Amino acid sequence: MDNCIFCKIANGEIPAATLYEDEEFRVILDLGPASKGHALILPKTHAANIFELSDEMAAKAMILAKKMATVLTEALKCDGFNIVQNNGECAGQTVFHFHIHLIPRYQNDNVGITWVPGNLTDEDKEEILSKVRAILK
Ligand code: 5GP
Ligand code: ZN
């Protein structure tokens, strides 16, 4: 993808603070961190979102997320960890090249990864179960 900033960063055309790199991924520090140590896992090949990502790359990305979360926790002595992945504008995605957010959490850090819990109604429950199960059949 010619105009994709994360393709350029992942492939080393634009410099970024790189924590880890292999043949398929680069892990960089986020320029607008939610917390100290906020990092991004970028595949070197372009996929706009998780739906475009191959199963093989999705599996490797999650294994790398576990490894980097473990390393960041040891290095920064954080108290908890969020692993976040946004797909689509309404879900908060702003860069349309698949990436995983690694967000170290600290006691009382006030990082706002939260929502107001709703209520699962019987109507919604039945509708969702039947629609999803019909596709999975
Ligand atoms: P999204 O909102 O798409 O899930 O996340 C995009 C993330 O990329 C944001 O956290 C933003 O701070 C980060 N970001 C955007 N442009 C750059 C950049 O040029 N370099 C780095 N290191 N991070 C970026
Ligand atoms: Zn890209």
Side-chain angles (χ1 to χ4, degrees), residues 1 4 6-7 46-47 96-97:
M1 283 281 287
C4 174
F6 279 4
C7 274
H46 184 84
F96 294 87
H97 174 123

Side-chain angles (χ1 to χ4, degrees), residues 76-134:
L76 301 177
K77 311 289 182 223
C78 56
D79 305 306
F81 218 96
N82 291 118
I83 295 174
V84 176
Q85 199 276 309
N86 301 325
N87 299 281
E89 203 174 336
C90 76
Q93 186 175 12
T94 58
V95 180
F96 294 87
H97 174 123
F98 173 89
H99 51 281
I100 296 176
H101 292 266
L102 303 170
I103 306 177
R105 298 299 303 271
Y106 305 89
Q107 295 292 345
N108 305 313
D109 64 12
N110 285 320
V111 172
I113 303 169
T114 184
W115 56 86
V116 179
N119 253 319
L120 179 60
T121 64
D122 286 343
E123 195 187 352
D124 277 354
K125 184 171 69 184
E126 293 313 322
E127 179 192 342
I128 297 160
L129 290 177
S130 73
K131 284 181 172 170
V132 171
R133 287 172 178 169

Side-chain angles (χ1 to χ4, degrees), residues 5-6 9 16 28-32 38 40 86 92-95 99 101:
I5 178 125
F6 279 4
I9 290 174
I28 63 168
L29 289 179
D30 195 298
L31 271 188
H38 182 171
L40 301 171
N86 301 325
Q93 186 175 12
T94 58
V95 180
H99 51 281
H101 292 266

